[in-house]
């Protein structure tokens, strides 16, 4: 697959048009090759813009690129949960993947708890693949890519980025490097915790109401930062009405990048821009207006029952 | 001190309810029912309300059960119920009611009381049914009351027999609160460091306690919800494992999930169990701002303490027990745990 072919696919995906099943197969193969070389804790150099959950909200992803700058002009880190719930999980994930293959050093994708076979069957990505392609092959190819995604990232050795949070089984960054990540997200253990845990107003650790991962307090964050010589943990995984939320004396931040989540929550979204001095600037953005809502009619949306 | 205790118990340091650094020893068996329900807002239901309105009360207050009172007691009211409380209405009763209305699945003749006969007659005629006729339809949640001074060890016997909740009632007939199995487990778990008598027990694994391995009632992911409810009713269980391809556990349908059916005007009754699960999960994640894992599970080697902790954290009434291959091999419920605790007092 030549560069021009990939460029053409990127342009197509930018118009929210899907590429063929065979093109997806090849794209996923290339992506796996690139991702396989990445570490469980992928090193990134600032400047970089950090983004949270997207959840298939394609037109809001376009808003994000308008606000943060197009890739590759801006370096990006996406902290997982690219798929499920939104109407355009397929187009969203394939665009990000195509950008990754085209500009591997300008965009980093790490795994969220939704990048999982079990979760995508319940929350919509599987159904969307089946509906848009008439077969489950595209879903299978994407799940194989999910297995190869890095678990976390570290920016200039100072800012640790992970989708969910911390694990009682992990005290150091080096311990994360020893995990065998190229598997379906387990139901428990360190890899599961990194993708499922949440910070909470407690001391120490607690069991999570989600049924996977843990709750962890400010003291745990403090220890982790100290033991690993870090300044900040950036994570996503929880809806934030204001787009981003700093906790525990600004030692951890939740960044949420899906505005008007599920097309009904009315929240704003945020991205975190870090310059080369690691100074942070949060940019807020709202849902795209006047969007082509053809997705709404076509999809037999279970949530309609509750509206 | 708490940390050391929890590490000794093989569990990460627990942080809830750190009341200073004291670790006084208390006798958990003597905890009184009244103290566990202090400050509760008690919701009761007028027996003359139609079943649908009674259901809305449960949904509005986010409870799964409420005492039903007869506003005009007559000769036909049985006198073994205190004052005018004639039963508990819960989602199990609602399911039985729906099955009668939609499928004419009537309880067997020998189990049918006068109330049920009257209910069936009205339901099949398309008439409104007052909830007082439905309050013990499922025969699973009778109205039980205890005095505020009743001790936990005595109530445990009741809970160990699968009674899910008791009304804590003063001698004048006033209900102070509803004491549920969940509340008891919550209290014991969060204050475990004060109950050293329980430490040897809760430190054991489910396997060691003989818990968690038993045939579970399951339903295929493609089965329709109405069939699942029928199965639940027939087997007298409050939850079914939903099994997908390769015998994998994809989720569960519980009695309390029926509230989603009521909210959607029953459209979901004819969805497949998988679609039902998906719809519930998708909606819950938006409401909470965070998604839950599709299954809540433990392993046979999980400690009783950890199991209790997970039940408290997730507010579930049972956890599935899975093996290494994530296939479901059993379940552990609040009843199982309380029975194990109750039995441990006998053994002492």
């Amino acid at each position: 697959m030549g560069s021009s072919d990939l460029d053409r696919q990127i342009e197509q995906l930018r118009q929210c048009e899907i590429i063929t099943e065979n093109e997806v197969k090849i794209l996923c193969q290339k992506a796996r090759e690139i991702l396989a070389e990445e570490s469980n804790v992928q090193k990134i150099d600032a400047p970089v813009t950090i983004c949270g959950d997207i959840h298939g909200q394609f037109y809001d992803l376009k808003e994000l690129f308008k606000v943060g700058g197009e890739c590759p002009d801006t370096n990006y880190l996406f902290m997982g949960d690219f798929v499920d719930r939104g109407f355009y999980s397929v187009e969203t994930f394939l665009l990000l993947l195509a950008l990754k293959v085209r500009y591997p050093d300008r965009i980093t994708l790490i795994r969220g708890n939704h990048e999982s076979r079990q979760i995508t069957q319940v929350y919509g990505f599987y159904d969307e693949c089946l509906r848009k392609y008439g077969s489950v092959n595209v879903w299978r190819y994407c799940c194989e890519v999910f297995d190869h995604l890095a678990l976390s990232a570290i920016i200039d050795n100072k800012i640790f980025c992970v989708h969910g949070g911390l694990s009682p089984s992990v005290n150091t960054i080096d311990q994360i490097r020893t995990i065998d990540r190229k598997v379906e997200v387990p139901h428990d253990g360190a890899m599961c915790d990194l993708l499922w845990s949440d910070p909470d107003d407690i001391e120490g650790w607690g069991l999570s109401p989600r049924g996977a991962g843990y709750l962890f307090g400010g003291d745990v964050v403090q220890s982790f930062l100290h033991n690993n010589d870090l300044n900040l943990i950036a994570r996503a995984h929880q809806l934030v009405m204001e787009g981003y939320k700093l906790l525990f004396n600004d030692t951890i931040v939740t960044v949420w990048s899906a505005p008007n989540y599920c097309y009904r929550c009315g929240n704003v979204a945020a991205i975190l821009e870090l310059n080369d001095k690691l100074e942070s600037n949060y940019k807020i953005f709202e849902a795209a207006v006047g969007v082509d809502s053809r997705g709404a009619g076509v999809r037999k949306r279970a949530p309609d029952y509750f509206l | 001190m708490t940390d050391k205790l929890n590490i000794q118990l093989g569990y990460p340091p627990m942080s809830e309810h750190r009341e200073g650094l004291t670790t006084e020893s208390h006798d958990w068996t003597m905890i009184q029912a009244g103290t566990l329900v202090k400050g509760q807002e008690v919701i009761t239901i007028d027996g003359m309300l139609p079943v649908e309105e009674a259901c809305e009360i449960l949904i509005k207050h986010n409870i799964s059960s409420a005492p039903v009172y007869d506003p005009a007691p007559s000769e036909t009211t049985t006198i073994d119920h205190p004052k005018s409380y004639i039963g508990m209405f819960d989602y199990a009763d609602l399911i039985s009611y729906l099955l009668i209305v939609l499928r004419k699945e009537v309880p067997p003749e020998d189990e049918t009381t006068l109330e049920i006969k009257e209910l069936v007659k009205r339901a099949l005629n398309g008439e409104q049914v007052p909830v007082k006729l439905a309050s013990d339809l499922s025969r699973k949640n009778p109205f039980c009351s205890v005095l505020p001074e009743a001790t936990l060890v005595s109530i445990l016997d009741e809970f160990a027999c699968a009674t899910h909740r008791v009304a804590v009632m003063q001698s004048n007939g006033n209900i102070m609160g509803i004491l549920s199995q969940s509340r008891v487990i919550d209290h014991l778990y969060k204050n475990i460091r004060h109950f050293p008598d329980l430490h040897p027990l809760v430190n054991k694994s489910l396997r060691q306690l003989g818990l968690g391995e038993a045939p579970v009632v399951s339903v295929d992911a493609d089965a329709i919800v109405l069939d699942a409810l029928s199965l639940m009713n027939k087997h007298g269980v409050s939850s079914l494992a939903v099994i997908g391809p390769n015998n994998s556990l994809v989720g569960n349908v519980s009695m309390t999930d029926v509230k989603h059916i009521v909210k959607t005007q029953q459209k979901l009754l004819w969805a497949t169990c998988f679609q039902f699960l998906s719809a519930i999960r998708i909606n819950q994640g938006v409401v909470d701002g965070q998604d839950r894992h599709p299954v809540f599970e433990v392993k046979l080697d999980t400690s009783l303490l950890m199991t209790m902790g997970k039940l408290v954290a997730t507010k579930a009434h049972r956890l599935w027990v899975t093996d290494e291959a994530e296939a479901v091999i059993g379940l552990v419920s609040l009843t199982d745990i309380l029975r194990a605790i109750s039995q441990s007092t006998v053994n002492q």
Side-chain angles (χ1 to χ4, degrees):
Chain A
M1 175 176 56
S3 213
S4 64
D5 210 39
L6 189 47
D7 284 335
R8 190 260 311 153
Q9 287 176 21
I10 289 173
E11 270 327 293
Q12 217 172 296
L13 288 164
R14 278 192 171 133
Q15 308 306 313
C16 202
E17 276 176 42
I18 55 173
I19 56 180
T20 69
E21 182 175 305
N22 202 50
E23 285 169 336
V24 174
K25 183 174 181 183
I26 297 170
L27 177 65
C28 287
Q29 264 167 13
K30 281 250 72 140
R32 283 201 322 268
E33 283 165 28
I34 293 168
L35 293 171
E37 298 300 305
E38 292 190 350
S39 164
N40 290 348
V41 189
Q42 181 65 358
K43 279 187 196 252
I44 301 178
D45 298 322
V48 64
T49 295
I50 303 175
C51 313
D53 295 28
I54 305 292
H55 282 302
Q57 296 184 204
F58 181 86
Y59 289 99
D60 299 322
L61 176 62
K62 298 210 66 169
E63 285 299 298
L64 186 159
F65 284 134
K66 274 191 213 146
V67 167
E70 289 299 326
C71 173
D73 306 326
T74 301
N75 296 331
Y76 278 103
L77 163 62
F78 285 89
M79 296 192 288
D81 278 14
F82 319 111
V83 299
D84 282 339
R85 295 175 169 283
F87 297 141
Y88 308 104
S89 295
V90 170
E91 292 86 345
T92 298
F93 182 60
L94 293 179
L95 174 58
L96 291 174
L97 207 59
L99 288 171
K100 175 66 182 176
V101 172
R102 182 68 178 87
Y103 309 109
D105 301 321
R106 301 301 180 90
I107 173 172
T108 305
L109 306 174
I110 64 175
R111 196 170 189 176
N113 62 308
H114 277 257
E115 275 74 55
S116 137
R117 287 162 187 79
Q118 187 175 30
I119 303 297
T120 51
Q121 284 184 71
V122 176
Y123 287 94
F125 182 51
Y126 176 93
D127 288 338
E128 190 184 317
C129 289
L130 192 53
R131 188 165 36 84
K132 287 178 176 169
Y133 285 94
S135 86
V136 297
N137 293 332
V138 163
W139 176 78
R140 282 211 191 98
Y141 303 146
C142 291
C143 288
E144 284 165 4
V145 174
F146 295 160
D147 287 345
H148 286 73
L149 291 167
L151 299 179
S152 60
I154 185 162
I155 302 170
D156 286 5
N157 286 326
K158 283 294 170 192
I159 298 178
F160 178 67
C161 308
V162 68
H163 176 74
L166 300 176
S167 169
S169 316
V170 170
N171 293 318
T172 67
I173 304 265
D174 274 337
Q175 283 171 330
I176 302 177
R177 294 196 171 103
T178 67
I179 297 173
D180 173 16
R181 78 166 190 265
K182 299 192 181 90
V183 291
E184 171 62 16
V185 181
H187 289 187
D188 55 21
M191 178 167 162
C192 169
D193 299 340
L194 291 171
L195 271 44
W196 277 93
S197 295
D198 296 298
D200 200 52
D201 193 15
I202 57 174
E203 277 174 56
W205 299 92
L207 285 168
S208 174
R210 296 180 191 253
Y214 290 88
L215 302 176
F216 55 95
D219 53 342
V220 172
V221 173
Q222 194 56 41
S223 300
F224 190 80
L225 293 182
H226 181 257
N227 293 341
N228 295 280
D229 196 27
L230 301 165
N231 294 344
L232 175 72
I233 297 175
R235 45 91 64 176
H237 195 42
Q238 283 175 304
L239 169 65
V240 182
M241 292 302 293
E242 312 84 12
Y244 74 97
K245 182 147 81 168
L246 284 152
L247 286 175
F248 307 153
N249 266 336
D250 298 2
T251 53
I252 182 166
V253 63
T254 302
V255 180
W256 181 265
S257 305
N260 194 25
Y261 183 44
C262 293
Y263 313 106
R264 76 192 226 213
C265 283
N267 60 293
V268 297
I271 53 178
L272 165 52
E273 291 181 344
L274 295 172
N275 66 12
D276 50 14
K277 294 195 205 60
L278 289 186
E279 288 159 339
S280 34
N281 178 35
Y282 292 91
K283 278 196 171 143
I284 307 289
F285 64 101
E286 293 182 1
V289 198
V291 158
D292 172 12
S293 58
R294 64 191 148 99
V298 173
R299 175 174 166 164
K300 290 187 278 288
R301 228 172 15 124
D304 272 333
Y305 287 126
F306 296 96
L307 293 173
Chain B
M1 206 177 301
T2 309
D3 291 357
K4 277 214 202 87
L5 175 69
N6 286 306
I7 287 164
Q8 187 195 342
L9 290 172
Y11 179 66
M14 239 258 303
S15 54
E16 286 105 339
H17 297 240
R18 274 200 180 187
E19 307 141 21
L21 290 173
T22 57
T23 310
E24 299 161 29
S25 222
H26 299 157
D27 185 354
W28 66 268
T29 60
M30 299 310 290
I31 295 172
Q32 293 189 353
T35 60
L36 293 177
V37 298
K38 222 176 259 188
Q40 226 187 65
E41 186 202 356
V42 182
I43 309 295
T44 58
I45 300 179
D46 183 330
M48 293 311 295
L49 284 181
V51 170
E52 290 78 3
E53 279 185 45
C55 205
E56 262 157 54
I57 292 177
L58 294 182
I59 292 173
K60 177 173 157 200
H61 295 276
N62 202 25
I63 52 181
S64 48
S65 173
V68 175
Y69 61 90
D70 193 342
S74 66
E75 293 81 29
T76 58
T77 308
T78 53
I79 51 174
D80 32 278
H81 291 303
K83 235 198 173 182
S84 59
Y85 290 105
I86 51 174
M88 295 286 270
F89 177 68
D90 68 353
Y91 288 120
D93 297 321
L94 177 66
I95 290 173
S96 303
Y97 170 72
L98 283 174
L99 290 169
I100 290 174
V101 170
L102 295 171
R103 280 209 167 158
K104 307 185 177 24
E105 276 177 26
V106 178
E109 187 61 38
D110 55 342
E111 284 181 33
T112 312
T113 61
L114 278 172
E115 281 91 6
I116 294 179
K117 284 198 167 79
E118 177 64 23
L119 180 153
V120 171
K121 192 181 91 173
R122 293 203 199 192
L124 297 184
N125 278 342
E127 290 167 32
Q128 269 197 342
V129 174
V131 68
K132 68 177 184 175
L133 297 180
S135 64
D136 276 327
L137 196 50
S138 66
R139 324 296 280 151
K140 272 183 69 67
N141 200 13
F143 184 84
C144 280
S145 66
V146 300
L147 289 170
E149 299 77 32
T151 58
L152 192 47
V153 70
S154 63
I155 299 169
L156 269 194
D157 286 336
E158 196 65 54
F159 284 159
C161 297
T163 301
H164 294 162
R165 55 189 62 76
V166 297
V168 180
M169 186 184 268
Q170 292 161 327
S171 36
N172 63 6
N174 178 47
I175 297 183
M176 275 182 73
I178 307 295
L179 179 59
S180 65
Q181 290 177 323
S182 297
R183 178 73 191 97
V184 171
I185 300 238
D186 184 277
H187 185 80
L188 292 176
Y189 175 73
K190 286 180 177 158
N191 295 287
I192 193 67
R193 65 193 178 285
H194 294 304
F195 308 130
D197 285 349
L198 286 176
H199 293 175
L201 177 74
V202 299
N203 204 20
K204 292 204 169 95
S205 70
L206 298 181
R207 192 196 299 272
Q208 287 170 318
L209 293 167
L211 295 175
E213 258 180 317
V216 306
V217 186
S218 63
V219 68
D220 202 78
D222 291 330
I224 66 165
V225 174
L226 200 46
D227 287 339
L229 296 183
S230 200
L231 203 59
M232 248 194 284
N233 198 48
K234 184 171 130 200
H235 288 270
V237 295
S238 46
S239 186
L240 297 175
V242 178
I243 307 292
N246 303 323
N247 241 356
S248 56
L249 177 62
V250 297
N252 58 263
V253 176
S254 296
M255 214 133 55
T256 50
D257 290 334
V258 76
K259 67 177 174 257
H260 298 286
I261 290 170
V262 173
K263 283 199 264 186
T264 64
Q265 291 113 32
Q266 299 164 26
K267 281 188 259 189
L268 282 172
L269 281 172
W270 286 275
T272 67
C273 287
F274 193 77
Q275 287 167 335
F276 180 65
L277 283 182
S278 206
I280 293 175
R281 289 271 176 236
I282 286 177
N283 189 58
Q284 165 266 314
V286 179
V287 167
D288 291 349
Q290 59 186 47
D291 291 324
R292 288 185 207 160
H293 202 263
V295 268
F296 296 156
E297 62 188 322
V298 286
K299 302 284 192 243
L300 282 175
D301 291 319
T302 306
S303 70
L304 185 62
L305 183 67
M306 189 74 158
T307 304
M308 289 165 70
K310 196 157 187 177
L311 283 164
V312 169
T314 57
K315 295 189 165 51
H317 296 165
R318 76 206 51 78
L319 298 172
W320 302 101
V321 181
T322 54
D323 63 16
E324 269 62 48
E326 305 298 345
V328 61
I329 53 180
L331 67 85
V332 58
S333 67
L334 296 172
T335 299
D336 293 332
I337 293 177
L338 291 168
R339 189 179 292 139
I341 295 175
S342 179
Q343 279 170 353
S344 77
T345 61
V346 171
N347 295 339
Q348 273 160 19

